[in-house]
């Protein structure tokens, strides 16, 4: 008797061309963050074509396809916005003319991460055709605005749409490995006040740029003191921008601000990170410096503004997680090889799902992350069909097939 996992792999191979063609049509429909309306229509058409039970679009503009109506809920997520192409002279082809050549699909978003979306949709088709699922209501979400503010779309899905899965598969590129965490991050500013006066008599004033410079040097020292973690790596902080205000070019400036990029490792939170920066300002001699976490307030294509702090918490799924064990077993049985279990370098929607809501996430997606945000982005076709097989195999495994 042919095992169900072998049948899944055969099916995913038979749909390889359809999966790649669907990816081409998504890549050929640009969808920068906040401008995803057209590609959502492309995805909706494909979901209806392959036989999803329900397809709808939420208030922020993300698409939610559902199959099954079992008592338990799980989800697969792909963000479907992309970054801009950057310097066009670095591309050897038009990034929005998706095409298949030399065993790869080429174009902006093939790796990050419309490839994951394409694979999810064809996995759903196979789950239905092979009758792999009784236990779960499964949502397949094509989410918006991730490149600008990761996790915002899932804060919306969880808090406003009340979708609360037990586990979510994040289909961002893993180069066909299985990932179980990544560092978090946050964006902060530190502001100090000075006193302006004529530049010809600086002793009358209090120069805010000198003050913020001392704070910046304390931030450099803070970076050296930050925690390390064996799996996720070290927390980091760096100054990324400097701003000031002054009545004239011939005046002592009356305020200055630095912006910080903070990467958070295991055990570091918004509260701990803010407290450390406040302490750095105190060490510089300015306990009154104002430390702020920046806010994201951009508008979705639906017109909705859903503000959030630019705080993206760290998450890790333990090595002993039952979800992870099932994912590794499904991968091994479907693809006939053992996966490498590792972590992402970059950040994903899991910061909201796992980091804010403690819902375990499993990462597996087509493409190599080194091509994300890079020119001449391309995803191997073989990764697409293998991802299709893994997603369907994982659902089969969770249903104890
Ligand atoms: Zn991405």
């Amino acid at each position: 008797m042919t095992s169900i996992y072998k049948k899944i792999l055969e099916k995913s191979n038979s749909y390889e061309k359809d999966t790649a063609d669907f990816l081409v049509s998504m890549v050929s429909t640009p969808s920068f963050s906040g401008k995803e309306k057209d590609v959502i229509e492309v995805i909706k058409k494909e979901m209806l074509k392959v036989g999803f039970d329900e397809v709808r679009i939420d208030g922020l503009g993300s698409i939610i396809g559902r199959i099954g109506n079992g008592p338990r809920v799980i989800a697969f997520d792909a963000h479907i916005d992309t970054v801009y192409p950057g310097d066009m002279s670095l591309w050897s082809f038009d990034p929005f003319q998706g095409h298949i050549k030399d065993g790869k699909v080429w174009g902006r978003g093939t790796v990050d991460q419309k490839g994951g979306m394409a694979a999810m949709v064809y996995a759903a088709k196979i789950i239905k055709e092979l009758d792999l699922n009784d236990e779960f209501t499964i949502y397949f979400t094509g989410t918006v605005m991730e490149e600008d503010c990761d996790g915002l779309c899932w804060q919306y899905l969880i808090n406003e749409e009340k979708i609360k899965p037990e586990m979510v598969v994040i289909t961002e590129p893993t180069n066909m490995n299985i990932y179980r965490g990544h560092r978090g991050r946050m964006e902060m500013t530190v502001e100090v006040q000075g006193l302006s006066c004529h530049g010809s008599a600086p002793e009358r004033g209090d120069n805010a740029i000198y003050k913020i410079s001392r704070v910046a040097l304390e931030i450099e020292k803070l970076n050296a003191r930050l925690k390390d973690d064996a799996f996720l790596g070290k927390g980091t902080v760096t100054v990324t921008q400097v701003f000031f205000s002054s009545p004239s070019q011939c005046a002592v400036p009356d305020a200055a601000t630095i912006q910080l990029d903070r990467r958070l490792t295991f055990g570091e939170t918004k509260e701990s990170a803010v407290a450390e920066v406040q302490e750095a300002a105190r060490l510089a001699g300015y306990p009154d410096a104002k430390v702020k976490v920046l806010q994201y307030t951009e508008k979705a294509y639906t017109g909705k503004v859903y503000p959030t702090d630019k705080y993206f918490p760290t998450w890790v799924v333990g090595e002993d997680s039952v979800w992870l064990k099932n994912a590794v077993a499904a991968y091994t049985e479907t693809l006939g090889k053992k996966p490498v279990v590792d972590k992402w370098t970059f950040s994903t929607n899991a910061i909201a799902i796992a980091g804010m809501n403690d819902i375990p996430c499993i990462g597996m997606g087509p493409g190599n992350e080194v091509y994300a945000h890079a020119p001449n982005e391309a995803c191997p076709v073989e990764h697409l069909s293998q991802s299709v097989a893994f997603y369907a195999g994982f659902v089969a495994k969770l249903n104890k097939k």
Side-chain angles (χ1 to χ4, degrees):
M1 198 184 106
T2 320
S3 90
I4 194 72
Y5 296 96
K6 191 145 182 260
K7 279 188 198 152
I8 290 169
L9 188 62
E10 282 166 13
K11 276 256 184 207
S12 69
N13 285 332
S14 76
Y15 291 135
E16 187 172 82
K17 175 82 167 69
D18 303 83
T19 312
D21 286 345
F22 174 36
L23 177 53
V24 165
S25 63
M26 281 190 283
V27 168
S28 306
T29 311
S31 55
F32 309 119
S33 301
K35 301 185 175 73
E36 303 92 341
K37 190 172 193 299
D38 293 347
V39 85
I40 291 287
E41 286 305 315
V42 171
I43 297 164
K44 187 177 174 185
K45 250 176 76 186
E46 198 82 6
M47 282 180 162
L48 293 172
K49 189 177 103 185
V50 306
F52 273 69
D53 297 333
E54 184 196 1
V55 181
R56 64 192 175 91
I57 293 164
D58 78 3
L60 213 56
S62 298
I63 189 163
I64 307 164
R66 176 182 61 80
I67 63 166
N69 49 18
R72 302 171 65 190
V73 178
I74 58 172
F76 288 76
D77 178 68
H79 73 80
I80 47 73
D81 59 322
T82 74
V83 295
Y84 287 88
D87 181 352
M88 293 291 271
S89 72
L90 297 175
W91 289 78
S92 58
F93 59 94
D94 179 345
F96 300 106
Q97 290 283 321
H99 59 281
I100 304 167
K101 203 179 93 184
D102 304 330
K104 290 178 181 169
V105 184
W106 300 79
R108 172 56 87 224
T110 47
V111 169
D112 190 10
Q113 58 121 128
K114 290 172 170 173
M117 184 78 230
M120 272 161 48
V121 166
Y122 276 84
K125 183 175 168 68
I126 293 175
I127 293 164
K128 289 199 73 160
E129 285 175 355
L130 294 179
D131 200 12
L132 302 175
N133 174 52
D134 315 301
E135 182 69 14
F136 299 95
T137 297
I138 312 178
Y139 293 109
F140 295 79
T141 55
T143 44
V144 296
M145 301 171 95
E146 191 274 347
E147 293 291 0
D148 249 17
C149 187
D150 25 317
L152 182 71
C153 53
W154 266 92
Q155 288 191 57
Y156 194 89
L157 284 168
I158 292 170
N159 298 326
E160 311 303 324
E161 296 288 327
K162 311 293 177 200
I163 291 188
K164 295 196 175 156
E166 288 181 47
M167 181 272 321
V168 180
V169 176
I170 300 288
T171 64
E172 293 249 26
T174 64
N175 206 22
M176 304 306 294
N177 299 323
I178 289 181
Y179 287 176
R180 62 177 183 92
H182 59 66
R183 290 190 303 171
R185 67 185 186 93
M186 60 195 288
E187 293 174 35
M188 285 181 272
T189 55
V190 189
E191 184 182 353
V192 292
Q193 283 298 314
L195 177 64
S196 60
C197 68
H198 201 284
S200 63
E203 69 282 0
R204 290 183 206 142
D206 182 16
N207 192 320
I209 289 183
Y210 293 155
K211 294 167 86 169
I212 206 68
S213 303
R214 293 184 189 106
V215 177
L217 294 174
E218 284 298 328
I219 296 295
E220 187 181 20
K221 291 187 210 158
L222 169 62
N223 181 56
R225 292 197 295 276
L226 291 175
K227 267 195 195 169
D228 206 348
D229 177 76
F231 178 59
L232 289 182
K234 189 182 168 306
T236 58
V237 62
T238 193
V239 176
T240 54
Q241 299 200 74
V242 186
F243 310 94
F244 70 98
S245 83
S246 176
S248 120
Q249 290 181 43
C250 299
V252 165
D254 52 24
T257 301
I258 49 176
Q259 188 168 325
L260 309 178
D261 177 310
R262 177 73 163 86
R263 302 287 153 159
L264 302 156
T265 193
F266 189 72
E268 295 181 323
T269 63
K270 175 159 70 178
E271 291 69 30
S272 70
V274 167
E276 286 159 355
V277 172
Q278 199 72 61
E279 173 63 8
R282 193 190 65 77
L283 290 170
Y286 311 114
D288 297 340
K290 282 197 198 73
V291 181
K292 274 193 223 157
V293 178
L294 295 180
Q295 280 244 315
Y296 183 79
T297 55
E298 295 299 315
K299 202 186 273 184
Y301 77 82
T302 58
K304 180 131 225 132
V305 177
Y306 194 64
T308 191
D309 278 354
K310 290 190 169 184
Y311 169 52
F312 310 90
T314 307
W315 69 282
V316 180
V317 161
E319 279 174 295
D320 54 353
S321 151
V322 174
W323 297 107
L324 181 64
K325 284 184 178 158
N326 276 312
V328 169
Y331 187 106
T332 309
E333 284 176 58
T334 313
L335 301 177
K337 57 187 176 189
K338 263 191 107 69
V340 173
V341 177
D342 204 349
K343 62 178 184 297
W344 274 294
T345 308
F346 57 62
S347 184
T348 73
N349 280 335
I351 63 99
I353 306 165
M356 293 176 183
N357 290 283
D358 281 327
I359 298 168
C361 289
I362 298 293
M364 211 303 284
N368 187 329
E369 74 172 69
V370 303
Y371 298 111
H373 302 195
N376 304 321
E377 187 177 345
C379 178
V381 171
E382 180 183 58
H383 280 201
L384 296 174
S385 56
Q386 289 185 3
S387 297
V388 171
F390 167 71
Y391 302 151
F394 190 24
V395 168
K397 180 59 72 185
L398 294 175
N399 278 278
K400 304 192 167 43
K401 299 276 175 186

